[in-house]
Amino acid sequence: MNHISELLKNTMPLASTIKIPNKAEILSVSDFLSIKNVRIPEYQRPYKWEEHHIAQLINDVYHHRNISHYRLGTIVIHQNYIEDDDKIYLDIVDGQQRFTTLRIILYALNNIIRNSDMFEESTRKEIQQLKEKVDSVSIHYTNKASIQQIHKNYVNAFRLLNKYNDEAVRAFINRCQVVIFYITDVTEAFQFFDSQNSRGKDLYPHDLLKAYHLREFDSAEIEKQTQIVQKWEDYPSNDLANVFSEYLYRIKGWSGKKSSRQFTKQHINIFKGINISKTEQFPYVKSLQIAHQFVDNYNSSYERRIDKQEFSYPFQLDSIMINGRRFFEYVQYYKNIVKDFKDKYNGNYSEKDAVLKELNTSTIKLFSLVYANDKKNREGEKYIKTLFECILIYYIDKFGYSEFDAFVEKAFVWCFNLRFQYQRLGFDSLDNYVLANNLFNKIKEAILPSEVLKYNLTLLPSQDEVQKFCTDKNRMDNRVAEFFKDRMYYAN
């Protein structure tokens, strides 16, 4: 019996000043699934384990059915005492995917054993008793994607478990174990989650950032967590990974003169900042507090119910991050910026497109050379395209569309100069080029667009090289070289 269950069995009311010690213990699957008052908090991501995950778990248990014990991993639980209920709830901070999967497997096993005469009566009875205990632990799944995936994995488990015999069933419920850490302070629970997963392979860096910023929420904003996290979970994980790794991480890194080759869990601190309500009142914090409070006060004013206006927080890519709610708003804001940019300037324009009225003919041609490049499927051109997008998004983020046509040309030459420098362009070479010829940092330091436009382009190709690649169809799209030639972008 685990220590929390013992505590909750006490018939005396819990004092509001209850002190619950942190503790770790090892439980069998049977004991783990029998724990009372377990909850999956609303802020947790939906259930997303796929068939290969559940197949691996079922097959691993079957393969190790003869050993004395088999560890299935770690569960982190926040011992959440709710004074109004006078009760300790056990909120799963880390491990809800595994917890849900174990319940699925149990229900599938119960169904198989109940309708088969191949199992011993003791096995049948043990599974039935465990199933009744689990039935008493009510877990509500409201996310539609979770419900669909649970049903799908139940079917998968039912099919995969048909090879299980008495020995395998007993191994699953009695000899398979989880290590559980019960932590009373929610901040400590999330910190433990970070430390456990920062070395793992199953989470994206943005998953760790989500956990970090959830615990950084201001206590007065807790009610907003569920809505914000639901919106976050509606984004495909691959889309979030792409926005962070291809755009946000690289722009922030390059503008700060740092190599930005691959976004990993070791780099997540770049998206951590200050807690607006807890950070010491240094002078630099005041401007952030003013902006933070002004936006909230403006949007919550009764006038907004009349004029239906809303003021967005004035994010900047290279500004100090405000932890908690603003981080999630920041990600949503720049996710939309990236999407809108790519939709607007993809190079496929019809006569009705408004963008044709905003840009001059030369700029439209440059966008077409980026997105309709004859070599666009090569790795090098993909890297150059992303670099071009990053530098333009960074410019727009700071200066809007002031002198935009002129900057597009500057950015195009700066990016595609790489194709003259390298026959085979790898990302390491691109990263080195950016750091040595840092147009991102020039934008960061500039006060006016004119300062950026004065940036001196170096390492330009010679006139002979430009002429050569106007006809050489292997190195690059010839139209790029022709543009360099027509505009005389070559070394003197």
Side-chain angles (χ1 to χ4, degrees), residues 3-256:
H3 78 292
I4 292 297
S5 296
E6 290 286 357
L7 183 59
L8 291 174
K9 278 189 170 184
N10 195 326
T11 57
M12 297 296 290
L14 294 171
S16 60
T17 58
I18 187 171
K19 299 295 183 182
I20 314 168
N22 294 343
K23 186 176 180 179
E25 62 181 351
I26 299 171
L27 293 181
S28 67
V29 166
S30 178
D31 289 340
F32 174 48
L33 295 182
S34 300
I35 296 176
K36 304 293 185 182
N37 295 328
V38 170
R39 302 191 307 183
I40 298 177
E42 288 291 334
Y43 57 72
Q44 283 283 18
R45 58 179 177 169
Y47 178 69
K48 292 185 175 180
W49 267 30
E50 298 180 3
E51 181 176 359
H52 69 276
H53 296 114
I54 199 167
Q56 181 175 344
L57 176 57
I58 289 172
N59 291 332
D60 285 349
V61 171
Y62 187 79
H63 178 72
H64 295 95
R65 64 190 182 278
N66 295 316
I67 65 176
S68 60
H69 66 269
Y70 181 66
R71 295 279 166 81
L72 298 180
T74 299
I75 308 294
V76 180
I77 287 179
H78 170 218
Q79 302 177 114
N80 188 4
Y81 174 59
I82 305 298
E83 188 171 358
D84 290 346
D85 296 344
D86 203 19
K87 182 183 293 186
I88 302 171
Y89 292 99
L90 304 180
D91 292 343
I92 298 180
V93 172
D94 183 27
Q96 69 102 344
Q97 303 284 322
R98 192 173 293 108
F99 171 74
T100 300
T101 301
L102 293 177
R103 287 171 64 101
I104 291 171
I105 292 174
L106 172 65
Y107 281 108
L109 276 175
N110 180 70
N111 197 1
I112 291 170
I113 294 171
R114 188 181 58 189
N115 294 288
S116 172
D117 57 3
M118 301 296 293
F119 293 89
E120 297 174 4
E121 184 60 29
S122 58
T123 304
R124 194 183 310 277
K125 184 176 180 180
E126 194 169 4
I127 284 290
Q128 178 60 32
Q129 289 176 343
L130 178 56
K131 191 257 187 186
E132 290 173 359
K133 290 180 181 179
V134 172
D135 284 344
S136 68
V137 182
S138 181
I139 302 292
H140 298 286
Y141 298 90
T142 58
N143 183 276
K144 183 181 295 186
S146 293
I147 295 170
Q148 291 175 343
Q149 195 62 26
I150 287 171
H151 174 73
K152 181 178 178 181
N153 276 350
Y154 174 83
V155 175
N156 292 331
F158 186 85
R159 185 183 69 251
L160 293 164
L161 288 164
N162 271 291
K163 64 183 177 182
Y164 270 41
N165 54 19
D166 288 280
E167 186 178 36
V169 172
R170 285 193 290 266
F172 169 68
I173 61 177
N174 296 322
R175 297 198 293 275
C176 287
Q177 301 172 335
V178 292
V179 180
I180 304 181
F181 293 89
Y182 302 94
I183 301 177
T184 303
D185 184 88
V186 67
T187 299
E188 290 182 17
F190 274 116
Q191 286 172 342
F192 192 85
F193 166 83
D194 282 354
S195 65
Q196 286 294 108
N197 288 288
S198 62
R199 297 183 297 274
K201 298 180 180 180
D202 57 332
L203 294 177
Y204 283 112
H206 64 257
D207 289 319
L208 295 178
L209 285 168
K210 169 195 166 186
Y212 172 83
H213 285 283
L214 279 175
R215 74 169 181 263
E216 288 289 294
F217 260 70
D218 189 281
S219 57
E221 298 178 338
I222 296 301
E223 292 183 359
K224 297 179 181 179
Q225 273 192 351
T226 300
Q227 179 182 359
I228 288 173
V229 172
Q230 182 60 58
K231 186 176 292 186
W232 173 281
E233 295 298 349
D234 286 341
Y235 300 141
S237 195
N238 287 339
D239 286 0
L240 285 172
N242 178 261
V243 169
F244 273 100
S245 62
E246 299 288 312
Y247 301 96
L248 301 183
Y249 167 66
R250 288 175 180 168
I251 293 172
K252 286 177 74 68
W254 283 330
S255 64

Side-chain angles (χ1 to χ4, degrees), residues 267-369:
H267 303 118
I268 62 176
N269 284 345
I270 197 172
F271 295 104
K272 297 179 181 180
I274 64 167
N275 187 308
I276 207 75
S277 61
K278 296 179 182 178
T279 302
E280 189 173 342
Q281 298 302 300
F282 298 118
Y284 81 90
V285 178
K286 291 181 180 178
S287 62
L288 296 172
Q289 289 176 323
I290 291 171
H292 177 74
Q293 296 297 338
F294 173 82
V295 170
D296 282 353
N297 290 341
Y298 178 87
N299 290 332
S300 63
S301 173
Y302 76 90
E303 288 98 337
R304 303 293 80 77
R305 301 177 186 176
I306 300 171
D307 60 24
K308 307 298 182 184
Q309 298 296 310
E310 184 175 359
F311 191 81
S312 298
Y313 185 86
F315 293 110
Q316 289 284 278
L317 279 162
D318 54 14
S319 64
I320 297 171
M321 181 73 67
I322 296 179
N323 295 341
R325 170 168 58 96
R326 292 296 184 207
F327 165 78
F328 293 95
E329 294 175 354
Y330 168 94
V331 174
Q332 179 184 358
Y333 177 79
Y334 283 109
K335 183 178 182 300
N336 291 337
I337 290 290
V338 170
K339 181 180 183 303
D340 291 346
F341 179 92
K342 297 175 82 168
D343 288 346
K344 185 175 183 179
Y345 299 116
N346 59 20
N348 298 318
Y349 307 123
S350 67
E351 294 181 359
K352 296 180 180 179
D353 285 340
V355 68
L356 297 180
K357 299 178 181 179
E358 300 172 8
L359 305 176
N360 65 35
T361 303
S362 177
T363 303
I364 293 171
K365 177 182 178 181
L366 294 180
F367 276 110
S368 295
L369 281 177

